[in-house]
Amino acid sequence: MEWKANWIWDRSGEHPRNQWTCFRRTFTVTTDFETAILSISADTKYFVYLNGEQIGSGPVRGWTTEWYYDQYVLNGLKKGVNVIAVLVNHYGMGTMSYIEGRGGLLAQIDFYNNGEVIGNLLTNEKWKTANHNGFIKESVKMSNCLSWAEIYDANRFDRDWEQLSFDDSEWANAEIVGPYGISPWNDLNPRDIPHLTNEPIFPKSVLSLKAVRPISQHFSIDLKPTFFPEEYDCNSGKIMQGYLVTELHSLEDTEGEITLTFDAHAGAKWEFTLNGHEVKTKNGKYEKVKLRKGANLLIIDVGGFFHEPTLHLAFNFSEKIKLKAPSNQKDTRFLGFGPFYTTTHLQIGNPVELMIPVDREYSKMKHLSSVSELESFKKWAKAIPNEHVCTDNVSLLSIFKDDLITYTIDFQHQNMVLANHSFTNVQPLENGDTEYLIDFGKEYLGLIDFEVEASKGTIFDFFLFESIHQDGRIEHTFSLNNSLRYVAREGRQVYRSFIPRGFRYMLLTIRNFTTPCRIFNVKVDVTTFPTGNVGSFRSSDYLLNEIWDISKHTVRMCAQDTIIDCPAYEQALWTGDSYNISLMNYYTFGNYDLVKRCLRLISKSVYRSPLPESHVPSGWQNVLTAWSILWMMAYREYYRYTGDLEFIKEAYPELKLTVQRFQSFINKDGLLEISAWNMLDWAPMDTEQAIVTHQNALLVDALRQTAYIASILGEKEDEVVFLTFAEQLKQSINRYLWDEEENVFVDSIHGDGTPSKIRSVQTNLMIYLTDCVEGQRKEVLEEYLVNPPEGFVQIKSPFVLFFYYQALMGLGKNDRVLDNIREIYGYMLENDATTCWEGWDLIEGDFSRSHCHAWSAAPTYVFGVLFFGVKPLEPGFTKVAISPNLNGLKWIKGSVPIPQGKIDIYCKDEGEYIDLQITLPEEVEAQITTCKNTRLQVNGKKKY
């Protein structure tokens, strides 16, 4: 299309923090037209309305310089006056799925007759704009990976602002940022996937009703703007030295508790000084303290290593304490002193200096006990703006609380989860807030949607999580602030959230009400990549059926505008995860366009970092070496399953460039040596080194796969170069990484040149699976895989199990694969899993970190190969291998998606013979392998 519109914005600046801005344009349609098409984009997210009805939202994630736009056919236009309204949420900082650009909106309506544009409506200075102050900006991030938690007050803005009847004459005119093509959005691409689903799902039941009392005061302080000013990234490895200072004003001598909480990834000091008394604490621990009447000086050491420099400070005293910054600078509550030192460690291939100098002034300030002593450090003092302090952190209120009374639930309390016109009547309690625990039955990713009737100011707090133990203990996923606060207006009202969240369970806490309220319904509008329910598996083994179901549901919930790792904690496109998940997707849904989109986004990261980044497009710049290599390998798999040669041609320049980049990391011994994030598994492998064995092995296989890509594209010279590179690397692996005495491949080579003493199943698995070993050594590794030695580091995540199952199936050990699946995934089911966990024993006392993690859905792929035996023999399934195997079961049946449709298989042991029925598209050539005494039907025709 031809863009004529301008990028526009309000007066909030280029990088407003958690900004929600409304735009409107009233216009009159006077001429006849056949079609009207709206083209629209925004940074960061938009929600567009036509004559009061929401017609869409977007855009999909992308690199800022190659941003995306959407198009809508405007069937709701009428002759006469119309209004288009757009709500834009600009983050003002990067997340793990977004790189900060700047605030902006671009929209254009083109009117067509006979295929020609006869007129248009463009974003320009005539559009009206206003800050939507119903959204509270003083929020806190949902996690170090995501954007801001949603806090909405229905009393602070006109709910009819998007309606035609609304009077916007008092609104300001928009400001023009510049024409199409300006930086940072140099280019716009049309949306390359369909819009996501909107599937309403009601909860299954209300589990409990309690009276609760939250911690009396809390403050979530965003330290990043103060200690890292003008930095809008989401980079981990942020190191700083400094202090947070405030005065606690008490009306009398009193005793109480103080709690400090940082992000769970933080390497913080956990130290504070109160009136000169030094306290060393732990994350989330309640420390008993005494306050004297009047001012009490609190100095918190915020030095350390952070992904997200946010401090959560909570108090429990009999009376609320007033906080005031010393010297009352700008009427703020906190001062930041520093930074005395800051840096950011990027793991992108280059060595990082690990020694952190300790600043003298920083050390001296540690022991202060009075406000007067702060005077000599005043040059370091910075007032922390109140807008960087959240006092409505729903996660803290929902976690740090006292359970006062547990009530019996009569049936009327279940009315809120029923899909009818009944309601739950909620009476105010004499003491405490009203808390409902609601179970949605499965984990979902979507938008919270509810209808209530309440008095003005009633607070509805929604806190979402994934798992509950048998004893009722909630797993609070790694300091995840998965929440929504809604402050009601008077009367009956409906609200649909704007931010998707992943969860199974909901704590709904109702606060600040003295008259009864009604809850008519609570539901989630599930958002996933739109796809047919194609892949299926059923068998005579009920446990395996359940395992397939939770695995398939995991893949579906992690299929969004890209493949994502998990719905709750990150929602990020992880490069290595997507390799496994793509193969799982091929056997469940066949979402080939989604896989293509992921591969394309990953490929563009080579223009920002030396190698494809670990997750993209992200405000956290990071290279995880094995993930870069798996991206290379994913192209061969994509071509095998789709036959999409045109996309392979498009991607080849980045593939070739990546090979060349890897050549620059080959050391004098011919081994890959790189200072990046060199992990493979959540297990105590020895991989925090520059020379890591499993990465060298994976690179050998990736080079072979890339050589194959070069061959089909006619790049014969490249093919020879890549194969030679692979063979040389294989020889170096066997020369330098094999321990002759212990008959094993070591995990790594240390910086001093000594081989690692750690032996792991994972390392030797990757050597074997990538065909980097021959002869007797190969036989030794086969024994390690079939009978893993006790002294080896064992596999700790389903991610690596995926590769382990591939190796065992190659060895013909199907029984070992099924036994392991029944054990690992059966344990998940025993503990009420409805999706697959990221791992086990990752956090002490918890089942997992993430309870819906698509890298863990290996059974979807395994069952397609192990039971149905479906594999492409030629690209795009023009020729397919089918070799069903009952593996001891009585019967199996199901479907495997392919580009031409699907393959249906039914196989049953009838005693005297095996009944095998196969249905597949006529244009697909099948190579069917059967055992003896099999009666075979293909497309309804008998073949014996």
Side-chain angles (χ1 to χ4, degrees):
M1 65 163 293
E2 180 183 359
W3 283 99
K4 296 181 180 180
N6 288 294
W7 284 95
I8 62 173
W9 193 232
D10 63 2
R11 290 168 174 78
S12 60
E14 290 188 22
H15 307 287
R17 182 180 184 272
N18 192 25
Q19 176 69 20
W20 296 79
T21 300
C22 300
F23 295 91
R24 282 173 53 94
R25 182 72 161 90
T26 303
F27 60 99
T28 302
V29 175
T30 57
T31 59
D32 291 329
F33 61 91
E34 292 177 351
T35 307
I37 297 178
L38 167 67
S39 303
I40 183 170
S41 186
D43 192 334
T44 308
K45 296 294 181 182
Y46 75 81
F47 309 88
V48 60
Y49 305 82
L50 179 64
N51 295 328
E53 295 294 325
Q54 184 174 343
I55 60 172
S57 63
V60 293
R61 71 185 79 186
W63 295 93
T64 309
T65 54
E66 298 181 1
W67 203 235
Y68 286 87
Y69 71 92
D70 297 320
Q71 290 189 316
Y72 304 91
V73 177
L74 301 184
N75 296 319
L77 276 177
K78 56 188 180 182
K79 208 160 192 180
V81 182
N82 296 264
V83 64
I84 182 171
V86 186
L87 174 64
V88 178
N89 176 209
H90 184 75
Y91 296 168
M93 52 82 194
T95 71
M96 283 177 64
S97 58
Y98 166 72
I99 300 169
E100 170 65 6
R102 63 144 296 156
L105 168 67
L106 181 75
Q108 178 170 319
I109 301 176
D110 290 316
F111 299 90
Y112 289 86
N113 250 344
N114 298 319
E116 299 290 330
V117 176
I118 60 172
N120 43 48
L121 179 77
L122 315 172
T123 42
N124 54 29
E125 73 282 0
K126 295 181 181 179
W127 284 57
K128 293 288 191 174
T129 183
N131 172 58
H132 194 316
N133 55 14
F135 294 93
I136 309 303
K137 295 181 182 179
E138 295 81 8
S139 183
V140 66
K141 292 181 73 176
M142 292 184 289
S143 78
N144 59 327
C145 318
L146 299 172
S147 63
W148 309 99
E150 195 173 355
I151 306 173
Y152 185 83
D153 189 335
N155 302 286
R156 290 166 51 109
F157 201 72
D158 195 312
R159 61 187 166 121
D160 295 324
W161 71 271
E162 70 273 25
Q163 300 292 330
L164 180 61
S165 58
F166 178 77
D167 181 5
D168 61 17
S169 60
E170 298 299 317
W171 285 21
N173 288 88
E175 294 185 343
I176 293 179
V177 176
Y180 168 79
I182 64 165
S183 180
W185 321 281
N186 299 333
D187 191 19
L188 285 181
N189 301 310
R191 185 186 188 101
D192 51 354
I193 55 171
H195 284 271
L196 303 184
T197 63
N198 177 21
E199 178 187 354
I201 299 291
F202 282 80
K204 298 305 178 186
S205 64
V206 177
L207 299 181
S208 70
L209 169 61
K210 294 180 179 179
V212 296
R213 181 174 56 222
I215 198 165
S216 60
Q217 285 177 279
H218 71 276
F219 303 87
S220 294
I221 306 112
D222 184 2
L223 302 171
K224 185 177 174 183
T226 300
F227 289 89
F228 296 88
E230 305 303 318
E231 293 189 22
Y232 306 107
D233 58 72
C234 180
N235 281 314
S236 182
K238 290 198 172 296
I239 298 170
M240 66 185 192
Q241 293 171 355
Y243 297 90
L244 181 76
V245 178
T246 188
E247 285 185 320
L248 310 180
H249 289 261
S250 178
L251 297 176
E252 57 186 3
D253 292 347
T254 186
E255 295 184 3
E257 295 169 324
I258 294 180
T259 303
L260 304 182
T261 306
F262 283 101
D263 182 273
H265 290 289
K269 295 289 189 64
W270 312 115
E271 297 176 3
F272 66 89
T273 300
L274 182 61
N275 294 330
H277 176 65
E278 296 181 10
V279 178
K280 293 186 177 181
T281 184
K282 294 181 180 179
N283 197 3
K285 181 183 177 184
Y286 287 86
E287 296 289 351
K288 294 186 180 300
V289 297
K290 294 181 179 180
L291 298 184
R292 62 197 179 202
K293 183 178 180 180
N296 298 261
L297 182 64
L298 176 64
I299 302 176
I300 302 173
D301 189 338
V302 294
F305 177 100
F306 301 91
H307 189 142
E308 188 61 40
T310 299
L311 169 65
H312 307 286
L313 177 62
F315 302 108
N316 246 349
F317 291 96
S318 57
E319 299 291 337
K320 285 196 173 184
I321 304 300
K322 182 179 180 181
L323 276 66
K324 182 180 175 183
S327 306
N328 195 29
Q329 293 191 27
K330 299 181 182 178
D331 196 32
T332 56
R333 289 167 289 199
F334 299 97
L335 293 181
F337 280 79
F340 297 94
Y341 174 86
T342 60
T343 189
T344 301
H345 284 173
L346 292 182
Q347 292 178 301
I348 58 172
N350 304 314
V352 175
E353 177 56 58
L354 298 179
M355 295 297 295
I356 306 300
V358 179
D359 184 87
R360 284 187 61 193
E361 298 251 309
Y362 168 66
S363 298
K364 285 170 57 179
M365 188 174 165
K366 181 181 183 69
H367 306 290
L368 303 187
S369 59
S370 65
V371 172
S372 60
E373 293 176 283
L374 290 174
E375 185 65 22
S376 60
F377 295 90
K378 65 180 181 181
K379 70 175 181 179
W380 298 101
K382 299 179 180 67
I384 295 180
N386 289 334
E387 56 264 32
H388 296 172
V389 180
C390 176
T391 56
D392 297 311
N393 189 329
V394 174
S395 66
L396 290 184
L397 294 172
S398 301
I399 295 171
F400 296 112
K401 63 174 183 181
D402 294 323
D403 293 343
L404 304 178
I405 304 172
T406 299
Y407 296 94
T408 301
I409 304 176
D410 59 41
F411 192 80
Q412 81 96 13
H413 290 289
Q414 302 289 346
N415 287 343
M416 70 173 78
V417 304
L418 304 179
N420 63 6
H421 297 292
S422 60
F423 59 84
T424 295
N425 193 61
V426 185
Q427 297 288 337
L429 303 176
E430 290 187 14
N431 294 298
D433 301 323
T434 302
E435 178 193 89
Y436 287 100
L437 173 58
I438 301 170
D439 180 9
F440 277 73
K442 285 185 180 181
E443 174 135 356
Y444 293 105
L445 173 55
L447 306 171
I448 303 302
D449 191 325
F450 57 90
E451 183 174 4
V452 297
E453 184 177 326
S455 56
K456 180 180 179 180
T458 301
I459 295 172
F460 294 87
D461 279 348
F462 299 83
F463 180 61
L464 312 167
F465 54 95
E466 296 179 293
S467 179
I468 301 177
H469 285 247
Q470 295 293 340
D471 60 4
R473 182 173 66 84
I474 293 170
E475 285 196 9
H476 300 296
T477 307
F478 237 39
S479 56
L480 175 64
N481 175 31
N482 207 358
S483 66
L484 160 68
R485 166 166 285 195
Y486 179 80
V487 182
R489 64 177 184 271
E490 189 70 32
R492 189 161 176 171
Q493 51 211 283
V494 174
Y495 186 77
R496 183 175 182 264
S497 65
F498 291 86
I499 299 172
R501 302 167 180 84
F503 67 99
R504 173 180 172 177
Y505 297 99
M506 170 188 288
L507 276 182
L508 169 55
T509 308
I510 308 168
R511 316 183 198 272
N512 194 41
F513 70 115
T514 56
T515 58
C517 64
R518 293 176 174 181
I519 304 174
F520 291 89
N521 59 68
V522 178
K523 58 182 182 291
V524 57
D525 288 335
V526 175
T527 56
T528 67
F529 186 85
T531 184
N533 188 24
V534 182
S536 63
F537 173 83
R538 276 295 174 269
S539 75
S540 56
D541 188 316
Y542 178 79
L543 179 60
L544 293 181
N545 296 343
E546 291 292 295
I547 290 170
W548 164 270
D549 285 345
I550 67 169
S551 300
K552 182 179 179 180
H553 187 62
T554 301
V555 173
R556 182 175 178 236
M557 288 301 107
C558 294
Q560 300 295 311
D561 62 346
T562 63
I563 291 168
I564 63 170
D565 61 331
C566 58
Y569 182 62
E570 295 178 1
Q571 300 180 19
L573 167 55
W574 283 88
T575 303
D577 301 34
S578 68
Y579 171 82
N580 295 24
I581 301 167
S582 296
L583 287 164
M584 300 166 193
N585 184 295
Y586 298 149
Y587 284 89
T588 49
F589 299 106
N591 295 332
Y592 307 113
D593 286 348
L594 184 61
V595 175
K596 179 195 291 189
R597 175 163 216 276
C598 294
L599 292 172
R600 181 181 283 129
L601 285 172
I602 296 165
S603 73
K604 302 307 178 184
S605 65
V606 299
Y607 301 112
R608 183 171 78 157
S609 294
L611 295 171
E613 294 178 7
S614 62
H615 52 290
V616 302
S618 174
W620 175 14
Q621 187 180 3
N622 175 264
V623 168
L624 202 169
T625 312
W627 271 219
S628 304
I629 299 169
L630 287 169
W631 167 79
M632 298 170 67
M633 295 166 62
Y635 279 97
R636 170 68 184 272
E637 298 296 347
Y638 175 81
Y639 182 61
R640 283 182 65 213
Y641 283 86
T642 68
D644 184 354
L645 186 61
E646 288 304 309
F647 179 61
I648 297 301
K649 291 179 182 177
E650 174 193 324
Y652 186 72
E654 283 83 17
L655 276 169
K656 182 176 179 178
L657 177 61
T658 301
V659 173
Q660 294 168 342
R661 297 272 182 83
F662 267 116
Q663 287 175 319
S664 70
F665 288 103
I666 300 300
N667 67 14
K668 61 181 178 58
D669 293 325
L671 291 171
L672 174 64
E673 182 173 353
I674 182 170
S675 298
W677 187 8
N678 292 338
M679 64 84 70
L680 178 69
D681 191 11
W682 297 129
M685 298 173 65
D686 188 3
T687 59
E688 293 186 10
Q689 313 297 332
I691 303 173
V692 179
T693 304
H694 77 259
Q695 294 176 169
N696 278 269
L698 282 169
L699 182 56
V700 170
D701 202 26
L703 290 167
R704 296 187 190 123
Q705 308 295 353
T706 309
Y708 169 78
I709 295 296
S711 72
I712 64 173
L713 295 179
E715 302 288 346
K716 298 300 182 182
E717 291 184 10
D718 288 349
E719 179 188 7
V720 172
V721 170
F722 300 162
L723 289 176
T724 302
F725 186 1
E727 184 59 29
Q728 291 172 343
L729 184 55
K730 175 183 174 180
Q731 296 302 322
S732 293
I733 289 170
N734 281 275
R735 183 178 301 118
Y736 296 107
L737 299 174
W738 172 260
D739 186 325
E740 194 68 50
E741 292 184 6
E742 296 194 27
N743 258 13
V744 67
F745 282 95
V746 301
D747 270 6
S748 59
I749 300 292
H750 289 193
D752 61 2
T754 59
S756 169
K757 300 297 184 183
I758 303 297
R759 312 292 181 250
S760 68
V761 174
Q762 297 89 331
T763 291
N764 290 274
L765 165 65
M766 289 305 176
I767 290 284
Y768 179 82
L769 201 58
T770 56
D771 197 25
C772 283
V773 64
E774 298 169 353
Q776 185 180 3
R777 290 183 183 182
K778 184 173 184 178
E779 294 175 5
V780 170
L781 264 56
E782 288 177 352
E783 178 60 26
Y784 290 160
L785 297 180
V786 175
N787 298 298
E790 288 187 7
F792 280 31
V793 173
Q794 303 297 310
I795 296 171
K796 294 292 290 184
S797 73
F799 174 75
V800 179
L801 283 180
F802 178 89
F803 299 98
Y804 185 53
Y805 295 154
Q806 285 183 319
L808 290 179
M809 286 190 293
L811 289 167
K813 301 295 182 181
N814 290 2
D815 56 336
R816 297 294 298 272
V817 173
L818 291 175
D819 287 346
N820 187 274
I821 286 176
R822 288 187 177 102
E823 177 186 353
I824 297 296
Y825 292 86
Y827 177 70
M828 296 181 196
L829 286 167
E830 179 187 351
N831 290 284
D832 298 325
T834 62
T835 45
C836 302
W837 302 347
E838 179 180 4
W840 52 92
D841 298 331
L842 302 182
I843 303 173
E844 185 178 355
D846 284 357
F847 291 128
S848 182
R849 185 183 75 149
S850 165
H851 286 259
C852 181
H853 218 82
W855 80 358
S856 303
T860 55
Y861 168 81
V862 170
F863 290 5
V865 174
L866 184 145
F867 284 112
F868 297 143
V870 174
K871 296 179 182 179
L873 290 176
E874 293 182 1
F877 283 93
T878 54
K879 185 176 182 180
V880 59
I882 307 175
S883 54
N885 188 339
L886 286 166
N887 290 291
L889 302 188
K890 181 68 177 174
W891 57 267
I892 58 172
K893 63 179 178 180
S895 302
V896 174
I898 60 174
Q900 299 85 345
K902 63 175 181 172
I903 299 172
D904 297 324
I905 297 173
Y906 171 79
C907 187
K908 184 175 182 179
D909 185 350
E910 294 286 7
E912 295 181 357
Y913 63 92
I914 301 295
D915 182 12
L916 176 57
Q917 301 175 32
I918 299 173
T919 305
L920 73 165
E922 293 287 351
E923 66 269 28
V924 175
E925 180 184 347
Q927 179 178 298
I928 301 173
T929 304
T930 64
C931 59
K932 293 181 180 180
N933 300 321
T934 298
R935 295 187 179 181
L936 172 64
Q937 288 188 42
V938 179
N939 291 345
K941 299 176 182 178
K942 293 183 179 180
K943 295 179 183 260
Y944 294 99

